[in-house]
């Protein structure tokens, strides 16, 4: 959950007329539980950019993985011993509830639905797929999956233990590009914060990219500046500094 200083900084930014847009790999229902106390009213970018959703729940953009391609990817990771999370209709489905699936669901505060063979069950194009496991082993799996599906899927990590699959061309940066056109602001005037490997494209898209000190090294490499870590609420510190600076 967001801490009081961060909530106050976000409120100050909104009061100053600054759009505050949350860009995340999370599901919509999981994100809403986090954002409700913040009172944010702008659309959110979810599922690594595969979905953009308005404050009233309307899905403004949805770019799922084509169904047959998703089935191929699920089969490929199953052959490597993984039971992937499959996201359809903003719900989480799995073939069976493993300790990894249960831990993920508890972390996100969401239900998990076991459906047997998820490949046979899959009724439509899923929004994304996620493999949960050992960070080092997932690094190897990610390389193999990029070799196999790199011209059809975007494969990245959100947290070290989450390897995520989205349709090709979908990134957090593409989600923001869609919103910038819809809401009428330019990338040159956008400031983006990030920490995970899946934030690289977001910081590259924004006019000014800021990595928190605890960010992945790839994120720091593309950032224009590095702020204090998440443990010190670095985003809040930067927002307050900007709002307190002479105009």
């Amino acid at each position: 959950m967001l801490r009081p200083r961060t909530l106050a900084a976000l409120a100050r930014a909104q009061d100053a007329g600054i759009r505050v847009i949350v860009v995340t790999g999370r599901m919509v229902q999981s994100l809403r539980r986090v954002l409700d106390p913040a009172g944010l009213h702008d659309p959110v970018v979810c599922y690594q950019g595969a979905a953009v959703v308005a404050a009233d729940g309307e899905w403004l953009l949805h770019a799922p993985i084509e169904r047959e391609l998703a089935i191929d990817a699920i089969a490929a990771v199953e052959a490597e011993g993984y039971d992937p999370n499959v996201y359809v209709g903003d719900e989480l489905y799995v073939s069976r509830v493993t300790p990894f699936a249960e831990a993920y669901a508890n972390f996100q505060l969401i239900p998990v639905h076991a459906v047997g063979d998820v490949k046979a069950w899959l009724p439509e194009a899923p929004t994304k797929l996620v493999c949960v496991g050992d960070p080092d082993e997932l690094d190897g799996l990610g390389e193999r999956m990029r070799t196999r599906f790199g011209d059809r899927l975007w494969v990245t990590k959100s947290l070290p233990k989450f390897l995520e699959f989205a349709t090709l061309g979908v990134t957090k940066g593409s989600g923001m590009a869609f919103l910038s056109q819809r809401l009428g602001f330019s990338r040159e005037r956008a400031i983006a914060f990030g920490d995970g490997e899946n934030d690289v494209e977001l910081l590259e898209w924004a006019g000014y990219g800021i990595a928190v000190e605890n960010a992945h090294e790839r994120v720091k490499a593309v950032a224009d500046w590095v702020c204090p870590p998440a443990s010190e609420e670095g985003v809040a510190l930067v927002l307050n500094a900007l709002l307190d600076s002479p105009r």
Side-chain angles (χ1 to χ4, degrees), residues 98-110:
T98 65
F100 282 128
E102 192 167 31
Y104 180 93
N106 290 338
F107 169 72
Q108 299 277 6
L109 300 176
I110 55 171

Side-chain angles (χ1 to χ4, degrees), residues 9 29 34 53 58 70 80 98 128 137 156 181 201 204 237:
Q29 61 166 300
V34 176
V53 182
E58 179 188 1
E80 300 238 16
T98 65
K128 73 170 183 176
E137 293 177 0
T156 189
Q181 292 183 353
E201 291 83 2
E204 288 178 331
L237 293 173

Side-chain angles (χ1 to χ4, degrees), residues 203-226:
L203 267 64
E204 288 178 331
W205 176 85
Y208 196 82
I210 301 176
V212 293
E213 178 58 42
N214 58 298
H216 190 281
E217 290 304 317
R218 286 190 61 210
V219 181
K220 290 183 181 179
V222 301
D224 296 293
W225 191 55
V226 177

Side-chain angles (χ1 to χ4, degrees), residues 125-246:
T127 305
K128 73 170 183 176
L129 312 172
V130 175
C131 290
V132 184
D134 175 81
D136 292 333
E137 293 177 0
L138 286 178
D139 284 340
L141 178 67
E143 288 302 316
R144 294 189 294 276
M145 293 301 104
R146 278 187 283 270
T147 297
R148 181 166 178 176
F149 295 104
D151 61 342
R152 293 179 289 166
L153 290 171
W154 182 54
V155 184
T156 189
K157 274 189 169 184
S158 51
L159 295 176
K161 57 187 177 182
F162 299 154
L163 183 70
E164 311 218 358
F165 299 72
T167 196
L168 193 67
V170 161
T171 69
K172 291 184 176 183
S174 71
M176 281 300 295
F178 169 83
L179 263 188
S180 70
Q181 292 183 353
R182 185 179 182 93
L183 299 181
F185 63 88
S186 68
R187 62 187 296 180
E188 290 78 15
R189 294 181 60 82
I191 300 173
F193 297 85
D195 62 348
E197 192 172 357
N198 58 333
D199 289 317
V200 168
E201 291 83 2
L202 174 63
L203 267 64
E204 288 178 331
W205 176 85
Y208 196 82
I210 301 176
V212 293
E213 178 58 42
N214 58 298
H216 190 281
E217 290 304 317
R218 286 190 61 210
V219 181
K220 290 183 181 179
V222 301
D224 296 293
W225 191 55
V226 177
C227 73
S231 61
E232 298 177 21
E233 296 184 83
V235 172
L237 293 173
V238 173
L239 289 177
N240 283 326
L242 288 172
L243 292 166
D244 290 337
S245 63

